[in-house]
Amino acid sequence: MPVIAIIGAQWGDEGKGKVVDMLAEKSAMVIRFAGGDNAGHTVINPKGTFKLHLIPSGIFYPNVNCIIGNGVVVNPESLINELENLEKRGIDTGRLIISDRAHLIMPYHTLLDEFEERSRGRKAIGTTLRGIGPAFTDKVARMGIRAGDLLDKRSLRHRLKKVIGIKNTLLTRIHETEPLSVEEIYRQYSSYADKLKPYIGDTVEMVHDSLNSGELILLEGAQGTMLDLDFGTYPFATSSSPISGNASIGSGLAPNRIDRIIGVYKAYCTRVGSGPLPTELHDEMGHRIREQAQEYGTTTGRPRRCGWFDGVAARFSARINGFTGAIVTRIDVFDGFESLKVCVAYRLGGKEITRFPASISELERCEPVYEEMPGWNQDTTGARNWEDLPLEAQNYINRLSNLMGCPVNFACIGPERAQTIEVNPVFKAKPGQL
Ligand code: GDP
Ligand code: IMO
Ligand code: MG
């Protein structure tokens, strides 16, 4: 009954899509458990290059059931576009099921995301403007519309009438904009319902049936731990929880059913949007990493801010997720770099600390304490075994493992499935002391 959760360990875009696509080969089910179409997971495999936002990265295998779990907020229009694009490219989407408990993103959510961002002025979060925050707000406020509501149009109209009444007061009186039409939104969502009906169902039953048959199940995370609502750099965070605790809540699998929790880390750090990134490089080196790695957002195309690997954030992330192992991606980006830096502590008010502060103002005052390591002047993209990696790259990966406090299961040296090296087998490696 192996269940493996794949979690973004930094600020998102660590390569979760690639990792899930690679591991899904041996699995029977992949479940997305958090976020919405703010996520952008790039998958490069023999079928082509794909950018997924909502559909789990297991969709390319004909034998893998893909589930959009209850923890995801679904924009039906985005999902329909994604389904149509995949179908057009010859990918069968017949094994996708959307939890009837998943909440929907509504037109007022995207509008409010935009208004709220604008009102934050210079303190804007830099959201993806996909309506994610307002949709999760409504879920918590018990005002959400769920995928299951699409199956009963009479009750859908009734709920829309109630909720849009409240939203219109907000839109017209606070944001001084035009009210939304209940009838128009009803018509729009009725047509989404007609298209999505075959995909909506009770995923809890399916998940547990698969679990009881002893099949491998992957839980696909979205975003990254440092964007977590509780543990991320609040308020510069996303509005759901990308961490392992939510893999359980967002899928309907109890915590004691999850056997392995694997953190996906990049060999360095990136962040899209605002908020602290303690190791950010504003110089030529930051530019070099961005251009070498083509660090531009999958969802919004924004340039990603780049910096050295942050060992303080890495250890914090490993601890709150309980990582049994890690996957380090993008090692190849450093091919040809003379030397590399790794942040091993922060200096704050004259003292060295290794805890990750909760306070934004403290974080902004933290200066990274770096250790310098020699780089390697060798192409690693063709390496397939640990021994194929230059000694300097092995040392670098070992140092990251040491800072995280958990073993490295895989190292990635390119975006394709095969560009992956097994370092310590997932089920044999000892978890380590976090
Ligand atoms: P996700 O959101 O965590 O799925 O990550 P993204 O897809 O947004 O960004 C990760 C990018 O890195 C994608 O373009 C991947 O194709 C790419 N990628 C993943 N692993 C590697 C790797 O080991 N080397 C290189 N060069 N690219 C990688
Ligand atoms: P994947 O799954 C990187 C960031 C946004 C913004 C903040 C809040 O591809 O790793 P939101 O729209 O969620 O309210 O924006 O979170 N963000 C991401 N950054 N990768 C992601 O997803 C992200 N999803 C949200 O840029 O700073
Ligand atoms: Mg991404």
Side-chain angles (χ1 to χ4, degrees):
M1 135 297 2
V3 179
I4 306 177
I6 304 295
I7 307 290
Q10 295 159 316
W11 280 269
D13 303 325
E14 300 89 348
K16 299 174 290 294
K18 161 183 166 150
V19 163
V20 171
D21 172 65
M22 186 257 303
L23 293 175
E25 189 183 0
K26 295 204 170 84
S27 73
M29 183 175 275
V30 179
I31 313 170
R32 250 293 291 275
F33 64 82
D37 62 339
N38 48 350
H41 296 182
T42 312
V43 172
I44 302 179
N45 62 29
K47 296 190 170 164
T49 297
F50 301 88
K51 297 193 183 293
L52 302 173
H53 301 283
L54 285 163
I55 296 178
S57 305
I59 198 71
F60 305 99
Y61 297 96
N63 52 331
V64 176
N65 290 318
C66 287
I67 293 196
I68 297 183
N70 54 282
V72 178
V73 286
V74 177
N75 181 325
E77 188 183 1
S78 253
L79 178 58
I80 291 166
N81 283 338
E82 213 170 310
L83 284 166
E84 287 175 355
N85 281 334
L86 285 176
E87 287 286 343
K88 239 188 266 163
R89 296 179 64 188
I91 310 299
D92 174 22
T93 59
R95 289 155 293 98
L96 178 78
I97 312 282
I98 308 156
S99 165
D100 48 7
R101 292 178 169 87
H103 281 245
L104 299 181
I105 296 200
M106 306 298 294
Y108 40 85
H109 293 141
T110 30
L111 271 178
L112 288 169
D113 199 356
E114 208 179 308
F115 288 139
E116 286 167 13
E117 270 292 84
R118 210 180 296 152
S119 73
R120 290 182 186 115
R122 286 193 313 122
K123 294 259 158 74
I125 295 166
T127 75
T128 57
L129 299 177
R130 296 293 195 274
I132 306 295
F136 278 109
T137 304
D138 275 2
K139 176 176 178 175
V140 175
R142 291 156 295 185
M143 248 206 282
I145 313 271
R146 307 200 295 180
D149 293 325
L150 294 179
L151 304 178
D152 177 353
K153 290 195 183 169
R154 260 178 61 154
S155 113
L156 173 68
R157 178 183 251 135
H158 181 73
R159 267 191 81 61
L160 284 177
K161 229 173 166 173
K162 261 191 114 161
V163 176
I164 295 173
I166 299 169
K167 296 297 172 189
N168 276 343
T169 311
L170 191 65
L171 287 170
T172 54
R173 304 237 181 114
I174 307 284
H175 299 290
E176 297 175 342
T177 184
E178 296 298 309
L180 295 169
S181 149
V182 175
E183 271 317 300
E184 220 168 89
I185 295 179
Y186 173 73
R187 270 200 303 276
Q188 193 183 10
Y189 276 67
S190 282
S191 94
Y192 296 151
D194 296 337
K195 290 189 179 140
L196 293 178
K197 209 170 170 178
Y199 295 100
I200 300 171
D202 180 350
T203 54
V204 175
E205 281 296 306
M206 280 190 71
V207 168
H208 284 266
D209 287 346
S210 181
L211 184 74
N212 292 336
S213 334
E215 300 168 332
L216 175 65
I217 299 177
L218 298 181
L219 295 163
E220 178 174 352
Q223 289 76 54
T225 298
M226 307 314 290
L227 294 170
D228 183 79
L229 202 47
D230 282 80
F231 294 103
T233 52
Y234 191 88
F236 299 97
T238 189
S239 294
S240 71
S241 176
I243 69 175
S244 62
N246 196 41
S248 170
I249 298 171
S251 67
L253 269 170
N256 62 355
R257 297 298 190 175
I258 303 177
D259 299 286
R260 291 290 183 276
I261 303 170
I262 303 180
V264 187
Y265 292 86
K266 259 183 221 192
Y268 46 90
C269 286
T270 62
R271 177 167 198 159
V272 210
S274 327
L277 180 65
T279 59
E280 182 166 13
L281 293 162
H282 297 281
D283 57 6
E284 189 47 40
M285 186 55 86
H287 181 75
R288 182 172 171 193
I289 296 175
R290 179 162 45 252
E291 293 314 309
Q292 177 91 8
Q294 279 304 296
E295 288 289 1
Y296 292 89
T298 311
T299 299
T300 56
R302 291 177 288 179
R304 294 174 181 152
R305 299 155 59 195
C306 298
W308 295 118
F309 187 87
D310 183 337
V312 177
R315 186 178 74 129
F316 174 74
S317 173
R319 285 183 155 183
I320 60 174
N321 281 293
F323 289 150
T324 56
I327 298 180
V328 183
T329 65
R330 291 190 166 244
I331 291 290
D332 56 298
V333 166
F334 284 147
D335 292 354
F337 278 53
E338 306 70 38
S339 74
L340 307 174
K341 285 186 185 169
V342 181
C343 164
V344 295
Y346 297 152
R347 189 166 292 110
L348 177 66
K351 279 200 191 124
E352 274 191 20
I353 60 164
T354 52
R355 68 179 174 90
F356 190 83
S359 139
I360 295 292
S361 73
E362 268 190 18
L363 268 173
E364 279 166 351
R365 280 180 283 120
C366 281
E367 279 175 38
V369 177
Y370 287 117
E371 208 173 83
E372 198 154 352
M373 297 187 72
W376 50 93
N377 196 9
Q378 192 177 319
D379 176 22
T380 60
T381 57
R384 293 296 175 266
N385 298 297
W386 179 248
E387 297 73 37
D388 300 338
L389 287 175
L391 187 64
E392 293 83 358
Q394 292 181 355
N395 288 340
Y396 184 71
I397 295 166
N398 284 334
R399 183 67 182 119
L400 303 196
S401 168
N402 179 263
L403 287 165
M404 297 161 188
C406 65
V408 170
N409 296 133
F410 294 97
C412 297
I413 31 65
E416 294 179 19
R417 275 182 196 162
Q419 290 178 304
T420 307
I421 295 169
E422 188 176 55
V423 183
N424 290 290
V426 171
F427 287 99
K428 284 197 192 133
K430 286 219 180 84
Q433 170 118 36
L434 297 174

